[in-house]
Amino acid sequence: MATDSSRHRRTATRYVLREDIKEHLIDAILRGRYKPGDRLAEAKLAKEFSVSQSPIREALRDLEMMGFVESVPFSGSFVRDLSLKDMLDTYAVRAWMEAMAGRLATPNLTEDVFARLETLLERMMRHAQNNDSHEFAKADFAFHQTIVATAGNNTLIRLYDMLQFAYWTYASTILTGYNLTFQARRHYKIMDALNTGDPELIAKTLQDHIEELIERITAHYAERQEGAAVESVTEA
């Protein structure tokens, strides 16, 4: 009979596997290794990752909720063509939530909070210099998550987590095409705003921070469409 600790270890391991698989699949979809319409077969993926099908199934379920994958009854899971509107809708909601978090967090900013944010920003810079987009995105998300947690609104915290913004952070890292060092430096403006203690300035700075990504992602989609048009003419 399994003990509580062994069950906990299995659950924790499966969670880590699911998160790793999810990030790998998002990366593959955004970089075009998986194309819209491609079938993501659970058995094939389980063999590729050397895992059971359970974490694969859980990862695909999460990706379906995020809009990267579409599940077709009796057929399986397929890569969905993530539209510009899908991306803009997600980032518009995130911009609003970040602004709200900044406003609510202002009276709760302590030396410990500033110390954690500074540590995470240093971590971002280090990973940027190593061109490690995986670890960079984790530090980036942890920076924003710290501000959300400091807001102290449990509903906001749950919604932020539920909307899988950790993976949208990774998505934006890929889609914007920004140099990682440039992306890291963008957070110094947030630190400057936090240091003023002005809730409206903090809210606006956080909202602008996300909305800048909206502009760059829009440009990315436009560039992709132009490239597809050129390719189509060349083939013709």
Side-chain angles (χ1 to χ4, degrees), residues 110-147:
T110 64
E111 289 184 7
D112 286 345
V113 172
F114 278 108
R116 173 157 175 74
L117 291 172
E118 287 166 2
T119 297
L120 289 167
L121 185 45
E122 289 170 5
R123 195 175 298 168
M124 266 189 266
M125 290 297 295
R126 185 168 64 253
H127 295 312
Q129 290 162 3
N130 293 331
N131 201 32
D132 187 337
S133 57
H134 171 88
E135 292 299 323
F136 174 89
K138 284 170 63 176
D140 186 340
F141 176 70
F143 180 96
H144 288 271
Q145 192 178 39
T146 297
I147 297 172

Side-chain angles (χ1 to χ4, degrees), residues 135-203:
E135 292 299 323
F136 174 89
K138 284 170 63 176
D140 186 340
F141 176 70
F143 180 96
H144 288 271
Q145 192 178 39
T146 297
I147 297 172
V148 172
T150 303
N153 185 301
N154 290 332
T155 299
L156 178 63
I157 293 167
R158 283 197 301 272
L159 286 173
Y160 195 83
D161 184 56
M162 186 175 70
L163 290 172
Q164 307 273 337
F165 285 139
Y167 296 96
W168 289 112
T169 296
Y170 189 65
S172 66
T173 300
I174 297 170
L175 287 175
T176 59
Y178 282 146
N179 171 276
L180 292 183
T181 300
F182 174 79
Q183 287 211 55
R185 285 176 177 160
R186 292 176 66 240
H187 294 77
Y188 284 115
K189 191 172 182 179
I190 296 175
M191 292 296 293
D192 289 342
L194 291 169
N195 275 297
T196 69
D198 180 342
E200 295 310 315
L201 177 61
I202 292 169

Side-chain angles (χ1 to χ4, degrees), residues 26 29-30 34-37 63-70 78-88 90-91 167-168 171-172 175 217 220-221 224-225:
I26 288 173
I29 290 168
L30 293 177
Y34 290 124
K35 308 289 186 186
L63 291 179
E64 182 178 12
M65 187 176 74
M66 294 174 69
F68 285 98
V69 167
E70 179 181 16
F78 297 84
V79 176
R80 185 170 171 268
D81 189 5
L82 200 64
S83 71
L84 176 59
K85 185 179 185 305
D86 291 330
M87 298 293 293
L88 298 188
T90 298
Y91 280 90
Y167 296 96
W168 289 112
S172 66
L175 287 175
I217 289 168
H220 167 84
Y221 270 79
R224 192 174 74 172
Q225 286 182 338

Side-chain angles (χ1 to χ4, degrees), residues 19-90:
E19 301 305 292
D20 287 344
I21 292 163
K22 192 159 48 175
E23 186 173 292
H24 171 89
L25 292 176
I26 288 173
D27 185 272
I29 290 168
L30 293 177
R31 296 187 191 278
R33 291 195 292 274
Y34 290 124
K35 308 289 186 186
D38 284 354
R39 184 169 181 267
L40 299 173
E42 290 182 11
K44 183 178 178 181
L45 289 171
K47 185 176 181 181
E48 178 183 338
F49 286 99
S50 301
V51 298
S52 71
Q53 291 189 35
S54 292
I56 300 292
R57 192 173 302 117
E58 291 166 356
L60 291 175
R61 192 181 306 124
D62 286 346
L63 291 179
E64 182 178 12
M65 187 176 74
M66 294 174 69
F68 285 98
V69 167
E70 179 181 16
S71 178
V72 179
F74 309 111
S75 296
S77 297
F78 297 84
V79 176
R80 185 170 171 268
D81 189 5
L82 200 64
S83 71
L84 176 59
K85 185 179 185 305
D86 291 330
M87 298 293 293
L88 298 188
D89 286 350
T90 298

